Amino acid sequence: ANLDYTFRLEDDMVLGTSNPVFSQVSYGGVVRNVADNLTRLNHQVSLMSVVGEDSAGQDLIDKSKKIMEVFAIDKLSKYSTGGYYSIIGKDGNMNIGFADMSINDNMNGSWILEHKRHLSLSSWIIADTNITKDAIESLIEYSTNHEKKLAIIGVSGPKMKNVPDDLNGVEIIICNLDETQTYFKTKSTDLEYLVKLWLDTGVKKAVITNGKDGC
């Protein structure tokens, strides 16, 4: 769960000086976005994440608690709430992006174990790939032992390193084409072939999205 800061350039970017922009702040983080959408579909949702002990973290919690449970969001004093900063050019494309996400390293296997009582309240567990690899492994073990349904959702190509090789016990994985290619170290664009590769890992269902070309 993080804040997205978007800066839209009024003119072409000039390095080394101040550039006039239109700025916007919104709530982000893949799993937070999923939680937000599920609440709007009338599901009861609890968000489990980490934020800093700062105004951004408190703002995120205050906004979220209006529509979902937030008692499993931990506030960490030595970190800033995650932030994603993007500079958008006049053509609408991103010129540059910055991700301040070091706080996410605290969402590891030990953190998962600390929240076992919270996980026991859920029928579905949905995780994105911002959490560490051993955290996902812990979730797979927990969901298998306690007959919970587990979904894994991709965040980016680089974050696919957090996805284990053995996905037995995972109900469904949802990734885009780039994330799938990164995970399997392939340049193939054959979605049916790539879905079969996902199924070979032991996951029960797989969805690969491909932008405007569907899924």
Side-chain angles (χ1 to χ4, degrees):
N2 61 262
L3 267 65
D4 292 334
Y5 303 86
T6 303
F7 305 93
R8 297 187 179 276
L9 291 165
E10 295 183 17
D11 212 330
D12 293 335
M13 178 183 284
V14 180
L15 298 179
T17 189
S18 177
N19 291 265
V21 298
F22 299 101
S23 62
Q24 182 180 11
V25 181
S26 58
Y27 303 98
V30 168
V31 88
R32 192 222 64 87
N33 294 344
V34 170
D36 188 282
N37 280 293
L38 286 174
T39 62
R40 297 173 195 279
L41 293 169
N42 297 319
H43 291 282
Q44 187 176 359
V45 177
S46 178
L47 180 61
M48 177 174 152
S49 190
V50 292
V51 297
E53 278 193 349
D54 49 27
S55 58
Q58 190 60 52
D59 186 39
L60 199 152
I61 290 174
D62 290 342
K63 175 69 175 181
S64 300
K65 70 181 180 183
K66 295 178 181 178
I67 56 176
M68 66 184 76
E69 296 287 351
V70 296
F71 63 87
I73 298 180
D74 296 329
K75 296 177 74 173
L76 307 181
S77 60
K78 296 181 180 180
Y79 294 85
S80 298
T81 296
Y84 181 73
Y85 306 81
S86 58
I87 301 175
I88 309 299
K90 291 173 63 179
D91 59 0
N93 293 318
M94 185 175 69
N95 283 12
I96 192 168
F98 303 97
D100 179 10
M101 301 290 185
S102 59
I103 192 172
N104 291 342
D105 293 338
N106 293 280
M107 293 189 288
N108 53 28
S110 298
W111 180 75
I112 296 296
L113 294 177
E114 292 170 4
H115 286 274
K116 285 176 97 173
R117 288 186 63 188
H118 174 63
L119 296 175
S120 69
L121 302 175
S122 304
S123 56
W124 272 88
I125 300 170
I126 302 174
D128 68 24
T129 55
N130 278 312
I131 64 177
T132 64
K133 187 173 184 177
D134 67 320
I136 294 180
E137 290 171 340
S138 293
L139 285 177
I140 292 174
E141 181 180 2
Y142 179 86
S143 60
T144 300
N145 292 339
H146 295 83
E147 297 183 346
K148 304 286 186 180
K149 291 186 176 181
L150 173 63
I152 298 174
I153 302 178
V155 168
S156 66
K159 292 292 180 71
M160 295 306 288
K161 71 180 188 300
N162 294 337
V163 180
D165 295 332
D166 184 359
L167 296 179
N168 277 288
V170 177
E171 184 71 18
I172 186 169
I173 189 162
I174 304 172
C175 291
N176 66 22
L177 175 60
D178 171 67
E179 292 157 357
T180 301
Q181 290 172 326
T182 299
Y183 181 80
F184 290 109
K185 298 179 175 63
T186 179
K187 294 182 179 179
S188 173
T189 58
D190 184 336
L191 298 190
E192 289 193 16
Y193 166 73
L194 294 172
V195 162
K196 290 175 182 176
L197 291 183
W198 277 123
L199 297 178
D200 288 342
T201 66
V203 65
K204 295 178 183 177
K205 305 180 185 72
V207 176
I208 301 174
T209 62
N210 192 22
K212 61 181 177 61
D213 293 324
C215 61

